[in-house]
Amino acid sequence: AQSVTQLGSHVSVSEGALVLLRCNYSSSVPPYLFWYVQYPNQGLQLLLKYTSAATLVKGINGFEAEFKKSETSFHLTKPSAHMSDAAEYFCAVSAGNQGGKLIFGQGTELSVKP
Amino acid sequence: EPEVTQTPSHQVTQMGQEVILRCVPISNHLYFYWYRQILGQKVEFLVSFYNNEISEKSEIFDDQFSVERPDGSNFTLKIRSTKLEDSAMYFCASSKQGAPGANVLTFGAGSRLTVL
């Protein structure tokens, strides 16, 4: 069975600082991994996905994530935080027959201080 | 950019009442999903729907829940007799493809259900 663990329910960084949001997964088969972002009063928006091609995946808004099989990790990073990055971030692994069954982590709320 | 729309954005109901949450998926998408998030907890899969039938459902999705695509545009989630523990944010999503890794789910903004 697949599962996802996000370390840290709240992360606070200063504007311009590195953003690092941690995600570890458990999967009995090669995983498909996703990061979604949720801005207030909006739906979940796909940031990036890993589908067994390049291990370093680039997404929207300057975010990227690196798949590390040996560490079962898929951490999300951004070199320089912007105020507009404040949101909730969800890591997810694809499971199920059709792939639409996503198993989500508990989410990490990112705050960006001026 | 195409989006998934959900109505209502917020519904308050009494325990035991029936609730219907509505979703309009993206027009050329073929796979439809409902997820929910109880306050402070993870986003949880409820059900997936393809070709007018349920393709997968979670153990949460018991006989109190049903889904329907009554016409070519709407996708609904019905809760027959609401319980306090049904209070949650319900997200609808759709995707063009269904294969693992190939599908990208587009989510709606959610419908917040409060059961009193």
Side-chain angles (χ1 to χ4, degrees):
Chain A
Q2 282 94 343
S3 67
V4 170
T5 302
Q6 291 182 241
L7 298 176
S9 57
H10 291 91
V11 170
S12 181
V13 300
S14 298
E15 193 173 19
L18 171 72
V19 175
L20 171 61
L21 304 182
R22 299 178 186 274
C23 172
N24 288 89
Y25 70 90
S26 172
S27 178
S28 55
V29 297
Y32 299 103
L33 296 160
F34 305 80
W35 275 99
Y36 280 84
V37 60
Q38 184 182 28
Y39 299 103
N41 301 315
Q42 296 187 30
L44 285 77
Q45 179 183 0
L46 181 69
L47 270 180
L48 50 80
K49 67 176 184 177
Y50 167 75
T51 57
S52 76
T55 56
L56 182 62
V57 181
K58 295 187 184 299
I60 62 172
N61 302 337
F63 284 94
E64 62 183 36
E66 186 172 9
F67 173 72
K68 290 187 177 180
K69 184 178 178 181
S70 61
E71 299 177 8
T72 60
S73 68
F74 190 57
H75 301 331
L76 182 71
T77 60
K78 182 174 180 177
S80 177
H82 193 272
M83 297 296 290
S84 61
D85 294 327
E88 183 126 24
Y89 292 80
F90 295 92
C91 183
V93 62
S94 182
N97 298 326
Q98 295 296 323
K101 180 182 177 181
L102 295 176
I103 307 297
F104 283 88
Q106 69 270 39
T108 299
E109 184 177 357
L110 176 66
S111 301
V112 182
K113 299 174 291 187
Chain B
E1 186 171 331
E3 60 182 25
V4 174
T5 56
Q6 291 185 240
T7 55
S9 57
H10 190 192
Q11 181 158 356
V12 181
T13 190
Q14 295 292 323
M15 191 169 55
Q17 295 296 304
E18 176 182 283
V19 162
I20 297 176
L21 304 179
R22 291 181 168 80
C23 169
V24 179
I26 293 174
S27 60
N28 63 347
H29 284 189
L30 301 176
Y31 297 82
F32 314 111
Y33 315 88
W34 283 101
Y35 287 77
R36 79 172 185 189
Q37 184 180 28
I38 295 171
L39 190 63
Q41 298 185 24
K42 295 184 179 185
V43 176
E44 302 172 291
F45 170 80
L46 291 179
V47 66
S48 58
F49 190 87
Y50 169 71
N51 200 25
N52 281 323
E53 61 183 25
I54 291 173
S55 46
E56 192 169 0
K57 62 183 181 179
S58 73
E59 57 192 29
I60 301 169
F61 195 88
D62 61 20
D63 292 343
Q64 292 297 313
F65 291 89
S66 63
V67 289
E68 192 179 29
R69 189 157 162 80
D71 52 42
S73 60
N74 289 285
F75 179 52
T76 62
L77 174 69
K78 181 192 291 186
I79 308 174
R80 288 191 184 79
S81 178
T82 51
K83 297 175 280 204
L84 295 176
E85 54 265 38
D86 294 327
S87 294
M89 180 72 89
Y90 289 81
F91 292 105
C92 175
S94 68
S95 66
K96 191 180 295 187
Q97 302 181 49
N103 61 330
V104 174
L105 272 66
T106 301
F107 285 83
S111 293
R112 180 167 297 285
L113 176 64
T114 301
V115 182
L116 302 177

